Amino acid sequence: QTVVTQEPSFSVSPGGTVTLTCGLSSGSVSTSYYPSWYQQTPGQAPRTLIYSTNTRSSGVPDRFSGSILGNKAALTITGAQADDESDYYCVLYMGSIRWVFGGGTKLTVL
Amino acid sequence: EVQLVQSGAEVKKPGESLKISCKGSGYSFTSYWIGWVRQMPGKGLEWMGIIYPGDSDTRYSPSFQGQVTISADKSISTAYLQWSSLKASDTAMYYCARHNYDILTGYYYMDVWGKGTTVTVSS
Protein backbone atom coordinates (compact mmCIF):
# COMPACT_ATOMS: atom_id res chain seq x y z
CA GLN A 1 0.00 0.00 0.00
CA THR A 2 1.26 3.46 -0.89
CA VAL A 3 2.49 5.52 2.03
CA VAL A 4 2.28 9.30 2.06
CA THR A 5 5.34 10.75 3.74
CA GLN A 6 5.82 13.96 5.71
CA GLU A 7 8.58 15.27 7.95
CA PRO A 8 7.68 14.23 11.53
CA SER A 9 8.70 17.61 12.90
CA PHE A 10 10.01 20.98 11.85
CA SER A 11 10.84 24.22 13.58
CA VAL A 12 10.82 27.79 12.39
CA SER A 13 11.67 31.13 13.97
CA PRO A 14 8.95 33.75 14.31
CA GLY A 15 8.84 35.72 11.08
CA GLY A 16 10.72 33.04 9.22
CA THR A 17 9.74 30.90 6.26
CA VAL A 18 9.27 27.15 6.35
CA THR A 19 8.39 24.61 3.68
CA LEU A 20 6.77 21.32 4.65
CA THR A 21 6.68 18.54 2.10
CA CYS A 22 4.44 15.62 1.20
CA GLY A 23 5.82 12.71 -0.78
CA LEU A 24 5.11 9.14 -1.76
CA SER A 25 6.93 6.01 -0.61
CA SER A 26 7.00 5.04 -4.27
CA GLY A 27 6.78 7.57 -7.05
CA SER A 28 6.33 11.31 -7.37
CA VAL A 29 3.56 13.60 -6.28
CA SER A 30 2.07 15.63 -9.10
CA THR A 31 -0.95 17.89 -9.45
CA SER A 32 -2.87 14.77 -10.48
CA TYR A 33 -2.92 13.78 -6.82
CA TYR A 34 -4.76 17.06 -6.02
CA PRO A 35 -2.80 17.55 -2.78
CA SER A 36 -4.53 19.36 0.05
CA TRP A 37 -3.25 20.58 3.40
CA TYR A 38 -4.88 20.74 6.82
CA GLN A 39 -3.86 22.40 10.06
CA GLN A 40 -4.74 20.92 13.43
CA THR A 41 -4.10 22.38 16.85
CA PRO A 42 -4.39 20.18 19.96
CA GLY A 43 -7.97 19.36 20.88
CA GLN A 44 -9.40 20.90 17.73
CA ALA A 45 -10.81 19.59 14.50
CA PRO A 46 -8.65 20.00 11.40
CA ARG A 47 -8.88 23.22 9.41
CA THR A 48 -8.57 23.25 5.64
CA LEU A 49 -5.71 25.40 4.37
CA ILE A 50 -4.95 24.47 0.77
CA TYR A 51 -6.63 22.27 -1.83
CA SER A 52 -5.93 21.21 -5.40
CA THR A 53 -2.21 21.87 -4.88
CA ASN A 54 -2.30 25.63 -4.46
CA THR A 55 -5.80 27.02 -3.86
CA ARG A 56 -6.25 28.63 -0.45
CA SER A 57 -9.42 27.82 1.39
CA SER A 58 -11.70 30.67 2.34
CA GLY A 59 -10.26 32.85 5.10
CA VAL A 60 -6.75 31.39 4.97
CA PRO A 61 -4.09 34.13 5.00
CA ASP A 62 -1.90 34.43 1.92
CA ARG A 63 1.23 33.61 3.91
CA PHE A 64 0.16 29.99 3.42
CA SER A 65 0.86 28.71 -0.07
CA GLY A 66 0.93 25.35 -1.80
CA SER A 67 3.01 24.07 -4.67
CA ILE A 68 4.79 21.10 -6.22
CA LEU A 69 8.52 21.14 -5.47
CA GLY A 70 10.44 18.49 -7.32
CA ASN A 71 8.63 15.22 -6.71
CA LYS A 72 6.66 16.37 -3.67
CA ALA A 73 3.78 18.60 -2.73
CA ALA A 74 4.80 21.49 -0.53
CA LEU A 75 3.22 23.85 1.97
CA THR A 76 5.12 27.07 2.55
CA ILE A 77 4.45 29.39 5.47
CA THR A 78 5.96 32.83 5.01
CA GLY A 79 6.32 35.07 8.04
CA ALA A 80 5.55 32.37 10.59
CA GLN A 81 3.56 33.42 13.63
CA ALA A 82 3.29 31.86 17.06
CA ASP A 83 -0.21 30.60 16.38
CA ASP A 84 1.04 28.66 13.35
CA GLU A 85 2.44 26.16 15.82
CA SER A 86 0.29 23.16 14.91
CA ASP A 87 0.23 19.79 13.25
CA TYR A 88 0.02 19.91 9.46
CA TYR A 89 -1.35 17.09 7.35
CA CYS A 90 -1.32 16.58 3.63
CA VAL A 91 -3.84 14.43 1.80
CA LEU A 92 -3.43 12.91 -1.63
CA TYR A 93 -6.18 11.68 -3.92
CA MET A 94 -5.48 8.05 -4.88
CA GLY A 95 -8.24 7.58 -7.44
CA SER A 96 -11.51 5.66 -7.18
CA ILE A 97 -12.87 8.18 -4.67
CA ARG A 98 -10.15 7.41 -2.11
CA TRP A 99 -7.76 9.65 -0.22
CA VAL A 100 -4.73 8.98 1.97
CA PHE A 101 -3.36 11.24 4.71
CA GLY A 102 0.31 11.73 5.36
CA GLY A 103 1.61 11.09 8.85
CA GLY A 104 1.62 14.78 9.70
CA THR A 105 4.31 17.32 10.59
CA LYS A 106 4.49 18.90 14.02
CA LEU A 107 5.58 22.50 13.48
CA THR A 108 7.22 24.40 16.32
CA VAL A 109 7.60 28.16 16.19
CA LEU A 110 10.47 29.27 18.39
CA GLU B 1 -23.88 28.58 7.85
CA VAL B 2 -22.64 25.20 6.67
CA GLN B 3 -22.23 22.88 9.65
CA LEU B 4 -21.60 19.27 10.48
CA VAL B 5 -22.80 18.38 13.98
CA GLN B 6 -21.55 15.11 15.38
CA SER B 7 -23.06 12.98 18.11
CA GLY B 8 -21.64 12.93 21.61
CA ALA B 9 -18.85 10.95 23.20
CA GLU B 10 -19.34 7.22 23.64
CA VAL B 11 -17.90 4.74 26.14
CA LYS B 12 -18.39 1.11 25.17
CA LYS B 13 -17.15 -2.35 26.04
CA PRO B 14 -15.32 -4.65 23.62
CA GLY B 15 -17.76 -6.63 21.50
CA GLU B 16 -20.54 -4.04 21.70
CA SER B 17 -22.00 -2.34 18.66
CA LEU B 18 -22.05 1.39 18.03
CA LYS B 19 -23.37 3.89 15.52
CA ILE B 20 -22.23 7.51 15.59
CA SER B 21 -23.73 10.29 13.53
CA CYS B 22 -22.94 13.45 11.62
CA LYS B 23 -25.79 15.83 10.75
CA GLY B 24 -25.32 18.33 7.96
CA SER B 25 -27.05 21.68 7.77
CA GLY B 26 -26.86 24.87 5.74
CA TYR B 27 -26.34 23.12 2.41
CA SER B 28 -27.81 20.48 0.12
CA PHE B 29 -26.87 17.33 2.03
CA THR B 30 -27.52 15.01 -0.90
CA SER B 31 -25.12 16.87 -3.22
CA TYR B 32 -21.84 16.43 -1.33
CA TRP B 33 -19.79 13.41 -0.35
CA ILE B 34 -19.33 12.99 3.41
CA GLY B 35 -16.24 11.20 4.68
CA TRP B 36 -15.01 9.85 8.00
CA VAL B 37 -11.54 10.35 9.46
CA ARG B 38 -10.03 8.53 12.44
CA GLN B 39 -7.49 9.92 14.86
CA MET B 40 -6.19 7.49 17.44
CA PRO B 41 -4.83 8.96 20.68
CA GLY B 42 -1.64 10.91 19.99
CA LYS B 43 -1.61 9.83 16.35
CA GLY B 44 -2.30 11.29 12.93
CA LEU B 45 -5.37 11.50 10.77
CA GLU B 46 -6.54 8.48 8.75
CA TRP B 47 -9.09 8.65 5.94
CA MET B 48 -11.62 5.84 6.48
CA GLY B 49 -14.25 6.10 3.80
CA ILE B 50 -16.92 8.20 2.18
CA ILE B 51 -20.56 8.21 1.17
CA TYR B 52 -22.60 10.18 -1.33
CA PRO B 53 -25.96 10.64 0.40
CA GLY B 54 -27.72 11.31 -2.89
CA ASP B 55 -27.43 7.68 -4.00
CA SER B 56 -25.61 6.03 -1.04
CA ASP B 57 -22.55 5.26 -3.17
CA THR B 58 -19.96 4.28 -0.54
CA ARG B 59 -16.20 3.74 -0.76
CA TYR B 60 -13.77 2.54 1.90
CA SER B 61 -10.07 2.75 2.49
CA PRO B 62 -8.65 -0.78 2.21
CA SER B 63 -7.54 -0.42 5.84
CA PHE B 64 -11.12 -0.01 7.01
CA GLN B 65 -13.05 -2.16 4.52
CA GLY B 66 -15.02 -4.76 6.46
CA GLN B 67 -14.21 -3.12 9.80
CA VAL B 68 -16.85 -0.38 9.76
CA THR B 69 -20.01 0.51 7.86
CA ILE B 70 -20.77 3.96 6.51
CA SER B 71 -24.37 4.87 5.78
CA ALA B 72 -26.62 7.90 5.43
CA ASP B 73 -30.25 8.87 5.88
CA LYS B 74 -30.86 11.72 3.47
CA SER B 75 -34.33 12.35 4.90
CA ILE B 76 -32.68 13.72 8.05
CA SER B 77 -29.39 14.89 6.46
CA THR B 78 -27.34 12.53 8.60
CA ALA B 79 -24.39 10.28 7.89
CA TYR B 80 -23.38 7.39 10.12
CA LEU B 81 -20.35 5.34 11.03
CA GLN B 82 -21.02 2.05 12.72
CA TRP B 83 -19.30 -0.94 14.22
CA SER B 84 -20.86 -4.34 14.83
CA SER B 85 -18.27 -5.50 17.37
CA LEU B 86 -15.96 -2.91 18.87
CA LYS B 87 -12.35 -3.56 19.81
CA ALA B 88 -10.12 -1.65 22.19
CA SER B 89 -8.15 -0.53 19.14
CA ASP B 90 -11.23 1.37 17.91
CA THR B 91 -10.63 3.89 20.70
CA ALA B 92 -10.17 7.17 18.84
CA MET B 93 -11.61 10.50 17.83
CA TYR B 94 -13.74 10.27 14.70
CA TYR B 95 -14.36 13.27 12.46
CA CYS B 96 -16.79 13.63 9.63
CA ALA B 97 -15.84 15.96 6.79
CA ARG B 98 -17.73 17.28 3.81
CA HIS B 99 -15.94 16.72 0.52
CA ASN B 100 -16.48 19.74 -1.67
CA TYR B 101 -16.15 19.81 -5.44
CA ASP B 102 -13.45 22.03 -6.93
CA ILE B 103 -14.96 23.22 -10.21
CA LEU B 104 -11.54 24.15 -11.59
CA THR B 105 -10.00 20.71 -11.24
CA GLY B 106 -13.07 18.50 -11.12
CA TYR B 107 -11.98 16.82 -7.93
CA TYR B 108 -12.81 16.96 -4.27
CA TYR B 109 -11.34 18.20 -1.02
CA MET B 110 -12.45 18.24 2.60
CA ASP B 111 -13.78 21.72 3.35
CA VAL B 112 -16.07 21.50 6.38
CA TRP B 113 -15.35 19.40 9.43
CA GLY B 114 -17.39 18.23 12.37
CA LYS B 115 -15.97 18.75 15.86
CA GLY B 116 -15.42 15.04 16.31
CA THR B 117 -16.85 12.18 18.37
CA THR B 118 -14.68 10.48 20.95
CA VAL B 119 -15.14 6.73 21.13
CA THR B 120 -13.62 4.88 24.08
CA VAL B 121 -13.69 1.09 24.11
CA SER B 122 -12.62 -0.44 27.39
CA SER B 123 -13.57 -3.39 29.53
Side-chain angles (χ1 to χ4, degrees):
Chain A
Q1 187 172 338
T2 301
V3 175
V4 178
T5 61
Q6 295 185 247
E7 300 88 356
S9 63
F10 229 115
S11 64
V12 62
S13 300
T17 296
V18 63
T19 297
L20 312 181
T21 67
C22 174
L24 287 169
S25 57
S26 176
S28 299
V29 177
S30 67
T31 56
S32 299
Y33 284 89
Y34 304 97
S36 53
W37 292 89
Y38 303 85
Q39 177 191 49
Q40 188 184 35
T41 52
Q44 300 296 314
R47 170 197 180 200
T48 305
L49 294 176
I50 301 286
Y51 61 93
S52 299
T53 306
N54 56 13
T55 303
R56 271 186 297 278
S57 189
S58 177
V60 174
D62 60 6
R63 54 199 183 78
F64 290 91
S65 62
S67 63
I68 299 292
L69 285 181
N71 61 350
K72 296 183 179 182
L75 173 71
T76 299
I77 307 172
T78 305
Q81 300 179 0
D83 60 4
D84 294 335
E85 188 161 292
S86 302
D87 295 324
Y88 291 86
Y89 295 90
C90 70
V91 173
L92 301 180
Y93 178 66
M94 295 300 187
S96 302
I97 316 293
R98 279 194 310 118
W99 284 262
V100 176
F101 277 94
T105 297
K106 183 177 182 63
L107 180 67
T108 302
V109 181
L110 51 71
Chain B
E1 180 193 5
V2 176
Q3 273 190 307
L4 295 175
V5 178
Q6 296 190 231
S7 50
E10 301 275 1
V11 179
K12 293 288 191 180
K13 290 181 169 25
E16 291 186 333
S17 63
L18 176 64
K19 193 174 190 177
I20 63 175
S21 66
C22 169
K23 183 175 175 61
S25 63
Y27 71 100
S28 174
F29 185 74
T30 54
S31 300
Y32 292 80
W33 293 85
I34 290 279
W36 288 94
V37 174
R38 183 176 78 174
Q39 187 166 39
M40 299 176 76
K43 302 297 184 182
L45 302 172
E46 300 173 89
W47 189 86
M48 302 175 69
I50 195 170
I51 187 165
Y52 189 75
D55 62 6
S56 294
D57 186 0
T58 307
R59 314 292 176 93
Y60 295 92
S61 162
S63 300
F64 292 92
Q65 181 84 48
Q67 308 304 307
V68 297
T69 300
I70 295 170
S71 61
D73 184 341
K74 59 186 179 182
S75 70
I76 54 171
S77 301
T78 300
Y80 301 98
L81 177 66
Q82 70 180 94
W83 295 259
S84 58
S85 180
L86 286 160
K87 302 184 281 285
S89 57
D90 293 317
T91 294
M93 176 73 84
Y94 293 88
Y95 295 100
C96 61
R98 188 180 78 162
H99 286 54
N100 199 357
Y101 180 74
D102 179 3
I103 60 173
L104 293 180
T105 62
Y107 285 86
Y108 298 86
Y109 63 101
M110 288 164 269
D111 71 334
V112 178
W113 295 75
K115 293 190 185 305
T117 295
T118 300
V119 173
T120 303
V121 184
S122 174
S123 55

